[in-house]
Amino acid sequence: MVSIAAPVTLVRPIRRVVVRPRAAVTKILPPLVSFGLAIAVWYLVSMVLLGPSRRFLLPPPHAVFTESLANPAKLELMLRALAVTAKVAVSGLAVSAVLGVAIAVLMSQAKPIERVVYPYAVVLQAIPVLAVVPLIGLWFGYGTAARTIVCVLIAIHPIIAMTLFGIQSVDRNLQELFTLGRASRWRRLWALQLPAALPSIMTSLRTAAGLAVTGAIIGDMFFAQGRPGIGTLLDNYRARLQSEDLIAALLLAALFGVLVFALFTAAQKLTVGRWHASGR
């Protein structure tokens, strides 16, 4: 007797998109509350703890807005300076990314290279950048190149360390599978090690992005040749006791740093968010 089984029909369930306003409110509410508390503390310190004769040390938020950010001439000057700093930060981050990933790959492929190179990377991280800034100025001048080098010195170490960690943390079973398949060294690198290390690489770039902005501002303060950056304005405002302009420039620099961090966070979600927890 021949029995004919009924065909199995696979029906893909329809996913309903459920909008949860409560979850959205829960996600947005804490930052808004913390921002409101920060403004309240700012007003408390400025208007209560500081007397009128000392209020120039920390002007209230409305004074920073009316005296500086709402002034078109001052705001334009700050935005132009911020554009110069942003260009230096992006250039330094790009150089750091290329050099950092390349150095980490070389160290992962040969232990002698790691033993020779890695201590120097640690030394660069341990030495205060401000201590070597005068030497950078003597060797490379006081223009854009010197500012970019400062960015690289500050931002390159996390890229090297986390990329090397990601490559060396590849699952041993996958390594043995490529060994059984007689994969070459470069085939193993491109098909296994670098894709597995991508979450670490993206995390290192997100960390280095903020450090590059810091390095660009430090470079602006010490290397004043060429177009002034936001760090140059910060130094000038500090020397002239222009507190409103100083705080406004600090806020713009901080906003730019947050924007860069958010961009790399979004890039991390796009690249590894579907299969790794670090991008979710």
Side-chain angles (χ1 to χ4, degrees):
M1 182 177 180
V2 180
S3 60
I4 301 176
V8 179
T9 303
L10 297 178
V11 179
R12 180 177 297 179
I14 300 176
R15 294 183 178 180
R16 295 182 179 180
V17 179
V18 180
V19 180
R20 298 179 178 178
R22 183 176 299 178
V25 171
T26 305
K27 188 176 181 180
I28 298 176
L29 188 59
L32 293 179
V33 172
S34 64
F35 179 75
L37 289 176
I39 296 296
V41 172
W42 186 351
Y43 268 113
L44 176 65
V45 174
S46 179
M47 305 299 292
V48 178
L49 300 182
L50 295 178
S53 61
R54 301 181 58 198
R55 196 159 294 160
F56 71 94
L57 296 174
L58 184 63
H62 66 270
V64 174
F65 179 78
T66 57
E67 298 294 333
S68 185
L69 293 177
N71 189 323
K74 292 183 178 180
L75 182 60
E76 182 182 1
L77 179 62
M78 292 180 191
L79 291 178
R80 287 183 179 179
L82 185 61
V84 174
T85 302
K87 182 179 179 181
V88 174
V90 171
S91 302
L93 181 60
V95 174
S96 300
V98 173
L99 289 180
V101 173
I103 292 172
V105 168
L106 289 176
M107 289 193 299
S108 68
Q109 300 304 306
K111 279 293 181 182
I113 297 179
E114 180 181 355
R115 296 190 185 100
V116 171
V117 175
Y118 199 73
Y120 291 99
V122 176
V123 168
L124 284 178
Q125 181 69 13
I127 295 179
V129 176
L130 297 181
V132 298
V133 161
L135 290 177
I136 295 174
L138 290 175
W139 294 340
F140 302 99
Y142 296 89
T144 304
R147 302 180 191 183
T148 306
I149 291 173
V150 173
C151 290
V152 173
L153 292 179
I154 294 179
I156 195 172
H157 182 266
I159 298 177
I160 295 175
M162 298 188 72
T163 302
L164 180 63
F165 170 78
I167 294 176
Q168 293 177 343
S169 301
V170 178
D171 188 85
R172 187 176 296 274
N173 294 327
L174 296 177
Q175 295 276 22
E176 293 177 355
L177 181 62
F178 272 70
T179 301
L180 292 175
R182 296 180 181 180
S184 63
R185 181 185 295 270
W186 294 109
R187 176 66 177 173
R188 183 192 303 265
L189 175 66
W190 288 107
L192 174 62
Q193 293 175 330
L194 284 181
L198 187 59
S200 297
I201 295 174
M202 295 304 300
T203 302
S204 70
L205 291 177
R206 188 171 60 171
T207 304
L211 295 176
V213 176
T214 303
I217 294 175
I218 293 175
D220 292 338
M221 291 181 173
F222 285 88
F223 306 124
Q225 288 186 1
R227 297 179 59 188
I230 196 71
T232 308
L233 294 185
L234 289 173
D235 199 28
N236 293 336
Y237 295 151
R238 176 195 58 81
R240 300 170 185 171
L241 295 180
Q242 297 176 241
S243 300
E244 293 84 359
D245 297 333
L246 177 62
I247 295 176
L250 283 173
L251 291 177
L252 289 178
L255 183 61
F256 173 69
V258 171
L259 177 61
V260 172
F261 184 84
L263 288 176
F264 276 92
T265 301
Q268 185 175 13
K269 290 182 178 181
L270 289 175
T271 53
V272 301
R274 295 181 180 180
W275 57 275
H276 197 270
S278 64
R280 296 173 188 170

